[in-house]
Amino acid sequence: QVQLQESGGASVQAGGSLRLSCAVSGHFIASYCMAWFRQTPGKAREGVAGIESDGSTKYADSVKGRFTISQDDARNTLHLQMDNLQSEDTDMYYCAASFVGAGYCGTRILGPDYNYWGQGTQVPSPH
């Protein structure tokens, strides 16, 4: 059973930085495509950054140039570096994973059809 656990949500100053982590257990992440999503209550979950098993990445326009997704295969952990945080980045952030083996998520990488999800970590409004 694959399990994902997010951490790192905290209050920072506007324009500050935050690093979220997603620890994965149950399978090595090297054969997965993974992504970070965020959601405001009452709104649809938004894909913000995705990473394929070959390391290629994709970002939502709203975070491009400010957020960086990366994965540490040795620690089986996914990260999201968030720089220049703004009030609109306030949300619950979730990590997600799908097994692809030697394949790709491709155009679905920021879509909602992932097999495994974490419970989320809250990023409060910058102060």
Side-chain angles (χ1 to χ4, degrees):
Q1 179 73 12
V2 177
Q3 293 185 319
L4 287 67
Q5 180 64 59
E6 302 93 337
S7 62
S11 181
V12 297
Q13 290 186 332
S17 296
L18 202 57
R19 189 191 197 205
L20 304 183
S21 296
C22 173
V24 182
S25 60
H27 205 283
F28 294 118
I29 64 174
S31 298
Y32 284 71
C33 67
M34 302 190 69
W36 286 97
F37 289 76
R38 63 186 182 187
Q39 187 172 27
T40 301
K43 294 188 177 180
R45 197 167 288 188
E46 174 193 19
V48 296
I51 186 165
E52 296 279 12
S53 59
D54 66 358
S56 58
T57 58
K58 184 174 182 179
Y59 297 91
D61 289 343
S62 57
V63 306
K64 202 172 292 184
R66 299 189 299 121
F67 289 11
T68 304
I69 188 172
S70 63
Q71 65 182 59
D72 183 341
D73 288 347
R75 290 178 171 80
N76 230 37
T77 302
L78 182 73
H79 297 291
L80 184 67
Q81 178 67 36
M82 309 164 67
D83 297 321
N84 192 20
L85 279 165
Q86 304 299 318
S87 58
E88 56 264 32
D89 297 318
T90 301
D91 259 324
M92 183 72 80
Y93 283 74
Y94 300 88
C95 64
S98 282
F99 179 76
V100 292
Y104 296 88
C105 278
T107 58
R108 297 179 292 112
I109 195 166
L110 295 184
D113 298 327
Y114 278 82
N115 299 126
Y116 305 103
W117 292 85
Q119 295 298 308
T121 185
Q122 179 69 45
V123 175
S125 179
H127 53 81

